């Protein structure tokens, strides 16, 4: 008696050499043009059919061949939030590269979410851009598979969390920035130094506060939890957290804000309480946005090279799209530097 023929299980992934559109269509029970519609992000496909085809594309590790992947002259940029001068510096950097390459830039916002919605991924697949730059955002597994199957490369700028070794990213030396900002205040003679972080879920925010802690500990100063407030990188939270810190019975004589917008909120809180900067309170920000030079007094801050970071991300995503070996690697970290202006001084006696 012949042994029963074993049932073949679907492979977790197959190469594009063995997984064709025709094979995927046959297994999905649809036509090859329907699979093509799903690949191109067309809306005229039933949700159940789309899901079945997407699952097979992921299972077979399907990736469009270069000849199939005609690209639109676009770079997609998606932000978790767009309403800030910070975002404008990033847009400027991507625009610089896009202009030189004869490309246009498409902007999207994920309304504060760290992962864009499924609709966004389908729209990107339909646009077929040269690449996607994600800012303080990331992709879930299905979105990554969707872009990969369409041969659309992506790069993350300032990742919210650890992007993983296989995800190209561009960041800055946030820990060193927090260290140098706090060390500057320590060297001026401040011993009670407050801090206003960004959101705890964002990696750069945690790194800046870790640098603040390291500077205090290295100087032999106690890290007082009462002097640390969690912010959200917006002016209003800088103001509210600044009021809390400056109303303490033993208030700080200096504050390291997690970014420039929160530092300006501290300026407002200090004015409301009748404190002069820097005579009564020193303030340090982070980012070095153009407005840091315009406020009175001009803000001491840590320069994060936002435009250069965005340029590096745009160049990297285009190199990946051309299947070139990236000139700077796929994990890029640019240096931060302290810019001393007029908002810091030794504490008053």
């Amino acid at each position: 008696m012949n042994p029963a023929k074993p049932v073949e299980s679907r492979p977790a992934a197959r190469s594009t050499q063995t997984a064709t559109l025709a094979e995927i269509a046959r297994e999905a029970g649809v036509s090859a043009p329907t699979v093509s519609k799903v690949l191109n992000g067309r809306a005229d496909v039933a949700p159940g059919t789309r899901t079945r085809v997407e699952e097979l594309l992921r299972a077979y590790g399907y990736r469009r061949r270069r000849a199939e992947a005609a690209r639109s002259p676009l770079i997609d940029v998606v932000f978790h939030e767009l309403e800030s001068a910070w975002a404008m510096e990033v847009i400027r950097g991507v625009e610089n590269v896009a202009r030189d390459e004869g490309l246009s830039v498409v902007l999207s916002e994920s309304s504060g979410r760290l992962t864009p919605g499924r609709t966004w991924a389908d729209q990107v697949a339909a646009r077929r851009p040269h690449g996607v730059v994600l800012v303080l955002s990331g992709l879930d597994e299905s979105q990554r598979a969707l872009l990969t199957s369409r041969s659309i490369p992506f790069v993350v700028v300032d990742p919210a969390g650890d992007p993983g070794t296989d995800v190209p990213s561009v960041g800055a030396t946030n820990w060193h920035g927090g260290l140098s900002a706090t060390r500057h205040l320590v060297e001026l003679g401040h011993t009670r130094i407050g801090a206003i972080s960004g959101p705890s879920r964002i990696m750069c925010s945690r790194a800046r506060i870790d640098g603040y802690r390291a500077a205090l500990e290295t100087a032999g100063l106690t890290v007082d939890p009462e002097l640390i407030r969690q912010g959200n990188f917006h002016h209003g939270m800088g103001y509210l957290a600044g009021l809390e810190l400056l109303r303490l019975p033993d208030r700080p004589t200096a504050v390291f804000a997690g970014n420039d917008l929160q530092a300006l909120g501290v300026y407002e809180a200090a004015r409301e309480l009748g404190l002069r900067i820097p005579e009564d309170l020193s303030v340090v920000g982070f980012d070095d946005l153009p407005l840091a030079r315009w406020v009175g007094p001009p803000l001491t801050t840590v320069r994060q090279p936002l435009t250069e970071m965005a340029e590096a991300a745009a160049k990297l995503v285009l190199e990946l799209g051309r299947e070139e070996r990236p000139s700077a690697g796929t994990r890029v970290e640019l240096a931060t530097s302290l810019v001393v202006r007029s908002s810091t001084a030794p504490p008053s006696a």
Side-chain angles (χ1 to χ4, degrees):
M1 184 174 66
N2 293 329
K5 183 178 179 180
V7 177
E8 294 184 3
S9 60
R10 183 184 304 158
R14 289 172 59 179
S15 73
T16 56
Q17 302 304 313
T18 56
T20 66
L21 282 183
E23 288 175 321
I24 291 171
R26 189 161 49 248
E27 186 160 349
V30 299
S31 66
T34 298
V35 176
S36 181
K37 286 181 180 181
V38 174
L39 276 169
N40 291 321
R42 292 270 297 275
D44 53 338
V45 178
T49 300
R50 180 184 300 277
T51 299
R52 188 162 70 253
V53 171
E54 290 285 7
E55 288 176 350
L56 287 167
L57 289 169
R58 285 197 297 273
Y60 284 110
Y62 181 84
R63 187 183 180 94
R64 295 186 94 174
R65 291 185 292 274
R66 177 72 54 187
E68 296 176 274
R71 302 183 190 280
S72 300
L74 304 171
I75 298 177
D76 262 75
V77 184
V78 58
F79 290 83
H80 84 300
E81 290 178 340
L82 256 174
E83 52 177 42
S84 75
W86 188 94
M88 293 305 299
E89 296 301 300
V90 174
I91 294 169
R92 181 177 293 112
V94 177
E95 283 277 9
N96 289 345
V97 175
R99 183 173 56 250
D100 291 343
E101 296 284 340
L103 304 175
S104 299
V105 176
V106 176
L107 300 178
S108 304
E109 184 189 46
S110 55
S111 304
R113 299 188 304 271
L114 296 183
T115 302
R118 172 62 199 225
T119 302
W120 168 85
D122 289 335
Q123 290 169 348
V124 171
R127 282 194 291 270
R128 302 189 305 279
H130 277 248
V132 176
V133 175
L134 299 119
V135 186
L136 274 178
S137 300
L139 299 175
D140 62 29
E141 185 177 345
S142 65
Q143 290 167 338
R144 289 174 59 179
L146 181 70
L147 296 188
T148 299
S149 69
R150 275 70 169 179
S151 293
I152 300 174
F154 56 91
V155 174
V156 181
V157 175
D158 225 353
D162 183 359
T165 56
D166 59 336
V167 176
S169 64
V170 178
T173 54
N174 289 288
W175 182 88
H176 183 267
L179 178 82
S180 60
T182 311
R183 181 181 289 162
H184 169 66
L185 295 170
V186 170
E187 290 174 348
L188 287 172
H190 294 278
T191 57
R192 283 190 63 76
I193 301 171
I196 304 173
S197 74
S200 59
R201 62 181 177 160
I202 295 180
M203 188 166 61
C204 68
S205 168
R206 299 195 301 271
R208 292 171 196 178
I209 289 297
D210 287 345
Y212 156 85
R213 294 175 184 273
L216 293 179
E217 292 169 352
T218 300
L221 299 174
T222 300
V223 178
D224 185 351
E226 188 179 36
L227 296 182
I228 301 174
R229 295 292 186 276
Q230 183 173 315
N232 60 4
F233 285 156
H234 291 292
H235 172 277
M237 185 57 73
Y239 165 72
L240 294 174
L243 283 179
E244 289 182 9
L245 289 170
L246 299 179
R247 283 173 172 163
L248 290 173
D250 187 11
R251 68 168 180 84
T253 60
V255 173
F256 166 49
N259 71 341
D260 290 348
L261 295 180
Q262 290 185 153
L264 297 188
V266 175
Y267 270 45
E268 184 179 350
R271 281 196 299 270
E272 186 171 311
L273 297 177
L275 298 174
R276 299 165 301 162
I277 297 172
E279 292 86 355
D280 303 316
L281 178 71
S282 287
V283 181
V284 180
F286 200 111
D287 284 334
D288 195 26
L289 300 176
L291 54 80
R293 302 189 294 273
W294 304 336
V295 296
L299 177 66
T300 294
T301 187
V302 175
R303 182 176 185 272
Q304 178 176 211
L306 293 170
T307 301
E308 293 90 335
M309 289 163 61
E311 288 174 345
K315 290 176 182 176
L316 176 56
V317 84
L318 293 178
E319 289 174 352
L320 292 170
R322 291 190 288 258
E323 297 184 348
E324 298 175 359
R325 184 180 180 85
S327 56
T330 57
R331 300 288 301 267
V332 180
E333 191 171 77
L334 301 185
T336 55
S337 58
L338 181 69
V339 180
V340 178
R341 297 195 178 100
S342 305
S343 66
T344 52
S348 56

